Amino acid sequence: MAASGENPEILFWVGCAGSFDDKAKKVTKAFVKILNSAGISFAVLGTEEGCTGDPAKRSGNEFLFQMQAMQNIQVMNAYGVKKVVAACPHCFNTLKNEYPELGGEYEVLHHTQFLQKLIDEGRLKIQGGAYQGKRITYHDACYLGRGNDEYEAPRSLIEKLDAALVEMPRNRKRGFCCGAGGGQMFKEAEPGNKEVNVERAEEAIAQDPAVIAVGCPFCKTMMADGVKHFEKEDEIKVMDLAELIASAQDL
Amino acid sequence: MDALKYLPQILFSVLFLAGIGLFGRNVLKVVRNIRLGKTENRNDNKGERIKTMVLVALGQSKMVTRPLAAVMHIFVYVGFIIINLEMLEIVIDGVFGTHRIFAFMGGFYSFLIATFEVLAFLVILGCAVFLARRNSGAVKRLLSTGDLKGWPSRDANMILVTEILLMCAFLSMNAADALLQQRGEAHYITAGSFPVSQLIQPLFSGLGNDVLIGIERFGWWFHILGILCFMNYLPYSKHWHIIMAFPNTYFSKLTPKGEFTNLESVTKEVKLMLDPSADPFAAADPDAPLPSFGAKDVTDLTWKQLMDAYTCTECGRCTSECPANNTGKLLSPRKIMMDTRDRLTEVGNNIDKHGKDHKDGKTLVNDYITPEELWACTTCNACAQACPVNIDPVSIIIDLRRSLVMEESAAPGSLNAMFSNIENNAAPWQFSQADRLNWAQEN
């Protein structure tokens, strides 16, 4: 797009999970469908995108993080990127908070924030559709919630679907981690008596939801595995908010 | 004989100055220890910092998540602050040999004393509830096992019992005083109102004036000496939080919790690596200290991280919210803070004993905190969120991880695999960067 002189409204930061992980790719496609139906011009970096460095940084490998950051910043600055939307709270947090000091200053939004904005501006209309009246519980992603104090955008999207939002006892600031952050996604858990995702899935299942809504590809994997652990995967779906919106409207 | 008359005043003045002096020395030692940390700028946004301090320390806004503890804590906290107003009168009376010097305020004085008495009662109530919670086994995070085994538990109980004793001394003093006032004993002018201590007056009513004077004087001395001793006990105790909470919340992290620091030492190296015009054979500045990455010991942490450690009152709200701890992992954010403080105290004591450059061969990692604890963290920030005084355990965990990874190459094998994936194909999994856009062609 840049080559043809076009200036897209946003850069959609797909992220590694969104590019490669089967569950997260569904979110990527759902989000793109929403963007297309709302007529939002967007670009992706495609093969020029690289890991933001988040998992390396949280695991203590600051070198690798900054190498990744500098390379991504070079690419984004070369394209004159101004506004970035990430469908992953880890990418979102890193791009928004940790890139500016290294020379990458952009307006960065999580996809739930962007969708909320589109709705507020009247550029996206969603109706309840398939989820009207359904019980949906929302699992806060640490890096969106506590990490960046965004608790309401995802919830307002669920309310826009006319679904019944049911809260887990530990929600918002007290939201219980899915167990994937800080590099845990890529390693075996340290010895303990329970998996974190099993504990959280148990809490979610207790709300008897039709859907556990998430806003993070790692949460999605962890919660889906947790639901499977209790053999509830036929009754309870784990879906990203972008998937919920896209499928509610049958996009 | 005049000299003998002034003996209590002289004794009081000496003890009071000694107590304050010793406290000053202890404070300076803590300040010295905190300054062993690396520099970090927390002087920006003064307005927001004051607001945070007023809200979180003064206003205790983060206590409210647990209502019973919050209410009881407010009793003890307000009681502590307000009753210390009484200290002013005690000090003046002690130095000049007067009795209830502020009695001239009349009705207002009665109001003040009555307020102090009610607060003293509430402090006793609060401390009793805290003792019950702590020792009945009802609250898991307060059990005298695990992190709190031994000294930390004794410390907590000692503080609560001391506070109860101090308040009992205050109330007995008032009860005896009121009786002496009624009996018209010289020196005991009619002043004050005693809504709480009048309830214990009947216990004393059969006693002679001499005994009552003894009780009154004992209560007075016990109260003031108790406070002087308690003040000097603070720096060795979790109770230190009553002072540290204020600077610690003022210097709170104001950036989003998800934002971690970018290591400057690394930025320099990375810029050099990515700069095509950098001379790879350029001789390094021989005087420049070797850069170190992350923290191995307390002196590698920043002063704010060390201040955090001194502020911790071991309430365990962090650990009770920690997903790793909740699922049986070794990690306890509270222990991270306690270990950091204990190690810092040890380093400080070494400096006092053996001089500034003494090395004892120990480090915070390994000797106090094991890698297994560090690797259990999900960096979810539940601990930092739960902390009533804005301590940030995650930043310490990350700095210790940085040292393990960048100085010792001691990351778990699976994380090393993730690192090399990112290095080789810019994703934490083994997928080729060339395939990043394949999703666009799929259905």
Side-chain angles (χ1 to χ4, degrees):
Chain A
M1 280 180 119
S4 58
E6 281 182 70
N7 230 339
E9 181 178 339
I10 60 162
L11 171 73
F12 170 30
W13 187 273
V14 183
C16 301
S19 303
F20 297 122
D21 177 85
D22 283 335
K23 284 194 182 84
K25 277 197 281 190
K26 287 187 188 158
V27 180
T28 305
K29 291 172 203 167
F31 186 57
V32 166
K33 277 180 193 162
I34 300 171
L35 291 177
N36 284 334
S37 85
I40 310 294
S41 68
F42 68 97
V44 295
L45 289 179
T47 57
E48 288 181 277
E49 186 188 283
C51 173
T52 59
D54 163 84
K57 187 179 182 86
R58 315 291 144 191
S59 307
N61 196 336
E62 182 72 8
F63 264 105
L64 186 52
F65 160 69
Q66 291 201 16
M67 289 292 283
Q68 290 302 118
M70 302 275 194
Q71 291 172 43
N72 283 323
I73 289 168
Q74 264 178 7
V75 172
M76 284 194 282
N77 286 356
Y79 283 119
V81 170
K82 296 210 168 50
K83 190 168 175 178
V84 185
V85 177
C88 164
H90 295 265
C91 300
F92 156 73
N93 173 68
T94 307
L95 292 165
K96 176 174 176 283
N97 297 320
E98 290 158 358
Y99 275 32
E101 208 181 61
L102 301 171
E105 299 199 32
Y106 323 102
E107 184 194 344
V108 186
L109 293 173
H110 185 249
H111 68 308
T112 57
Q113 295 174 319
F114 185 65
L115 290 173
Q116 149 105 66
K117 234 177 109 190
L118 291 181
I119 293 169
D120 290 348
E121 289 166 3
R123 298 166 73 190
L124 176 68
K125 299 220 171 359
I126 51 177
Q127 284 106 31
Y131 299 101
Q132 216 157 5
K134 290 253 170 76
R135 288 171 72 86
I136 299 183
T137 190
Y138 172 66
H139 163 78
D140 285 281
C142 302
Y143 277 86
L144 185 63
R146 273 188 299 273
N148 287 285
D149 284 313
E150 181 59 84
Y151 303 102
E152 300 313 322
R155 288 182 168 81
S156 80
L157 294 177
I158 294 174
E159 274 158 15
K160 291 271 167 21
L161 290 169
D162 295 328
L165 173 63
V166 285
E167 293 288 359
M168 288 182 256
R170 293 177 285 194
N171 63 66
R172 294 188 172 83
K173 285 184 176 172
R174 290 196 64 203
F176 195 76
C177 177
C178 73
Q184 303 294 341
M185 184 74 191
F186 307 98
K187 66 188 270 294
E188 285 300 314
E190 298 304 312
N193 53 31
K194 199 175 190 179
E195 294 296 337
V196 177
N197 65 329
V198 169
E199 162 105 2
R200 184 56 162 173
E202 201 173 4
E203 189 177 353
I205 291 168
Q207 310 315 312
D208 191 25
V211 178
I212 299 170
V214 295
C216 169
F218 297 154
C219 294
K220 195 180 177 205
T221 300
M222 291 305 235
M223 294 307 284
D225 287 353
V227 169
K228 216 178 243 170
H229 175 89
F230 293 102
E231 295 175 350
K232 294 272 185 193
E233 66 269 29
D234 293 331
E235 300 123 77
I236 302 174
K237 299 268 167 278
V238 178
M239 297 173 80
D240 187 277
L241 286 151
E243 290 177 284
L244 273 169
I245 291 172
S247 61
Q249 296 186 291
D250 209 14
L251 292 176
Chain B
M1 282 298 100
D2 267 4
L4 205 60
K5 191 180 141 206
Y6 291 118
L7 193 64
Q9 285 165 254
I10 294 167
L11 188 66
F12 173 83
S13 306
V14 169
L15 288 173
F16 181 69
L17 289 177
I20 298 282
L22 198 61
F23 180 66
R25 219 180 70 128
N26 279 325
V27 170
L28 288 179
K29 201 176 268 185
V30 168
V31 171
R32 193 263 328 256
N33 286 355
I34 288 175
R35 287 204 167 143
L36 293 173
K38 298 217 175 315
T39 54
E40 179 177 14
N41 182 17
R42 289 277 170 103
N43 288 314
D44 55 332
N45 280 321
K46 295 212 164 59
E48 207 188 332
R49 294 193 175 281
I50 288 170
K51 207 177 105 194
T52 309
M53 181 173 74
V54 168
L55 224 67
V56 178
L58 201 63
Q60 316 222 331
S61 57
K62 289 177 86 180
M63 289 292 291
V64 296
T65 48
R66 311 201 185 193
L68 176 67
V71 171
M72 293 299 139
H73 189 264
I74 280 281
F75 288 166
V76 179
Y77 162 74
V78 174
F80 167 80
I81 292 191
I82 308 278
I83 291 171
N84 273 337
L85 289 177
E86 166 85 357
M87 278 285 290
L88 188 64
E89 185 179 52
I90 287 183
V91 170
I92 295 175
D93 282 347
V95 173
F96 296 102
T98 48
H99 186 68
R100 296 193 181 265
I101 184 89
F102 293 143
F104 69 88
M105 294 181 202
F108 182 63
Y109 186 76
S110 295
F111 167 74
L112 274 183
I113 297 294
T115 311
F116 294 159
E117 287 220 335
V118 172
L119 286 169
F121 170 73
L122 292 178
V123 170
I124 293 174
L125 175 71
C127 291
V129 170
F130 285 157
L131 275 172
R133 273 161 67 86
R134 193 169 278 278
N135 296 292
S136 68
V139 187
K140 190 174 164 242
R141 68 193 158 94
L142 301 176
L143 292 180
S144 59
T145 50
D147 299 350
L148 297 187
K149 198 171 174 200
W151 162 249
S153 267
R154 283 203 300 279
D155 180 23
N157 284 327
M158 221 141 75
I159 294 161
L160 293 169
V161 170
T162 306
E163 282 179 2
I164 291 177
L165 289 179
L166 285 174
M167 292 305 114
C168 287
F170 175 71
L171 290 173
S172 330
M173 172 184 92
N174 279 354
D177 195 301
L179 276 174
L180 289 165
Q181 288 180 24
Q182 286 162 23
R183 294 179 188 176
E185 177 72 23
H187 201 63
Y188 289 90
I189 47 163
T190 308
S193 157
F194 306 98
V196 177
S197 66
Q198 69 181 12
L199 301 174
I200 50 171
Q201 265 184 34
L203 292 177
F204 296 167
S205 58
L207 303 171
N209 283 10
D210 288 350
V211 182
L212 283 182
I213 291 175
I215 292 174
E216 192 276 333
R217 283 292 89 191
F218 177 79
W220 190 90
W221 279 98
F222 185 86
H223 186 62
I224 179 68
L225 289 182
I227 285 175
L228 287 176
C229 291
F230 199 46
M231 188 164 82
N232 278 292
Y233 174 68
L234 289 185
Y236 301 97
S237 155
K238 77 188 210 77
H239 211 51
W240 197 211
H241 79 284
I242 62 172
I243 292 181
M244 296 305 292
F246 293 88
N248 203 61
T249 47
Y250 178 83
F251 292 116
S252 292
K253 173 177 177 176
L254 296 180
T255 48
K257 286 196 179 60
E259 178 178 338
F260 293 5
T261 53
N262 290 325
L263 274 189
E264 245 183 79
S265 51
V266 170
T267 310
K268 271 187 218 148
E269 307 272 324
V270 170
K271 278 199 170 135
L272 209 63
M273 278 196 272
L274 293 178
D275 179 4
S277 60
D279 175 4
F281 302 109
D285 178 358
D287 297 326
L290 270 178
S292 69
F293 306 108
K296 204 172 166 153
D297 204 355
V298 283
T299 46
D300 303 321
L301 295 169
T302 72
W303 64 266
K304 180 57 178 53
Q305 290 169 319
L306 300 183
M307 183 182 266
D308 273 357
Y310 270 126
T311 307
C312 176
T313 194
E314 304 167 5
C315 71
R317 289 175 181 222
C318 50
T319 296
S320 74
E321 299 282 307
C322 172
N325 191 276
N326 269 279
T327 53
K329 277 87 178 174
L330 211 50
L331 174 65
S332 160
R334 168 169 63 185
K335 180 178 170 290
I336 300 284
M337 301 319 299
M338 292 168 70
D339 284 345
T340 304
R341 180 199 58 210
D342 292 347
R343 172 60 185 157
L344 180 56
T345 307
E346 184 178 51
V347 169
N349 290 344
N350 280 339
I351 292 175
D352 291 337
K353 272 192 215 126
H354 311 287
K356 198 159 61 66
D357 298 317
H358 178 79
K359 297 261 180 291
D360 62 0
K362 292 203 219 166
T363 53
L364 180 59
V365 188
N366 294 327
D367 291 304
Y368 283 80
I369 301 171
T370 60
E372 183 180 328
E373 292 165 64
L374 298 173
W375 290 120
C377 178
T378 68
T379 71
C380 76
N381 265 307
C383 51
Q385 179 64 49
C387 181
V389 287
N390 283 357
I391 291 170
D392 178 10
V394 184
S395 75
I396 295 181
I397 294 172
I398 288 300
D399 277 338
L400 297 177
R401 277 188 181 182
R402 282 170 170 169
S403 166
L404 283 179
V405 172
M406 293 187 286
E407 298 274 345
E408 326 243 320
S409 300
S414 44
L415 286 186
N416 278 330
M418 179 262 286
F419 294 153
S420 49
N421 285 335
I422 295 181
E423 270 168 44
N424 295 333
N425 43 272
W429 300 285
Q430 251 180 343
F431 291 103
S432 162
Q433 193 165 14
D435 294 337
R436 266 200 180 253
L437 204 50
N438 288 6
W439 58 267
Q441 268 69 54
E442 300 165 7
N443 279 317

